[in-house]
Amino acid sequence: MTDRIPAPADAPTFVADALLAWRRWLESLAERFDHLLPSLDPGRAGDAAEVVAWEVAGEQLMTFVAAPVVDNDGWQGYSQLTLQWFLTATGIPPEQARVVVGGALKGFGWWAPLTAVEIGEIGGRIARDVLGLTGSVPPGRVDDWPDTWPHGWPTWRATNTSAGAGPPPDRGRYR
């Protein structure tokens, strides 16, 4: 996106350049889909490797979509559309894909750029909800993560401490 309005004489070139940039982005996104799709199947058993594969796919797509967005409040629309396309490409019906993506992005402030932790959380939500659609993963968190980070810092995913109560509060979130 740009906030520049070209002079009338420059408009055709400006529009052509914008369309070419959009095409390059779509082609790059298609390559990412081609790379990620073979390792995912929403109907497969939800072992730890399957959960991680879904999390990684969600995180990679979110990073690809959200990182280049110049305006902080533009990431949600692009992310929502891209994730819905991706989930539909895995065989999830469009209405279910919309619900999963809406749930994954819910609670993040549109006015603030995403952090790496938040992108990871979105990937985790997608994995949990996609695999939960088929009953492959029991309801609740899939928690085979380490209970502490280096130096004994507890992680918010930990289940053995009070720090495992959920993600840390963040300035960009709303409830």
Side-chain angles (χ1 to χ4, degrees):
M1 295 297 288
T2 180
D3 57 2
R4 183 176 85 80
I5 299 175
D10 297 332
T13 302
F14 179 81
V15 170
D17 289 345
L19 288 173
L20 288 172
W22 175 246
R23 180 181 175 154
R24 283 190 301 273
W25 186 85
L26 287 173
E27 289 171 346
S28 181
L29 182 63
E31 289 174 11
R32 290 178 189 279
F33 280 22
D34 289 343
H35 175 74
L36 295 169
L37 285 172
S39 64
L40 303 173
D41 180 359
R44 274 201 313 237
D47 62 1
E50 185 69 12
V51 173
V52 170
W54 279 96
E55 285 182 345
V56 168
E59 291 169 10
Q60 285 185 7
L61 289 172
M62 283 298 301
T63 301
F64 174 74
V65 173
V69 173
V70 176
D71 56 340
N72 291 339
D73 61 351
W75 67 266
Q76 276 191 333
Y78 295 116
S79 299
Q80 185 173 22
L81 184 61
T82 300
L83 292 172
Q84 286 177 4
W85 286 344
F86 184 72
L87 293 181
T88 302
T90 67
I92 295 173
E95 183 58 32
Q96 286 181 324
R98 190 175 60 75
V99 170
V100 168
V101 171
L105 298 178
K106 184 178 181 181
F108 293 98
W110 57 268
W111 57 89
L114 289 174
T115 65
V117 170
E118 291 167 331
I119 288 174
E121 184 177 335
I122 291 169
R125 288 179 181 186
I126 289 170
R128 180 196 65 224
D129 292 346
V130 165
L131 295 174
L133 290 174
T134 62
S136 301
V137 173
R141 289 197 330 221
V142 173
D143 195 2
D144 54 357
W145 296 89
D147 287 332
T148 58
W149 288 107
H151 309 291
W153 299 337
T155 171
W156 66 268
R157 294 179 189 234
T159 55
N160 64 347
T161 66
S162 62
D170 192 345
R171 82 277 177 259
R173 295 207 177 139
Y174 63 93
R175 302 254 184 242

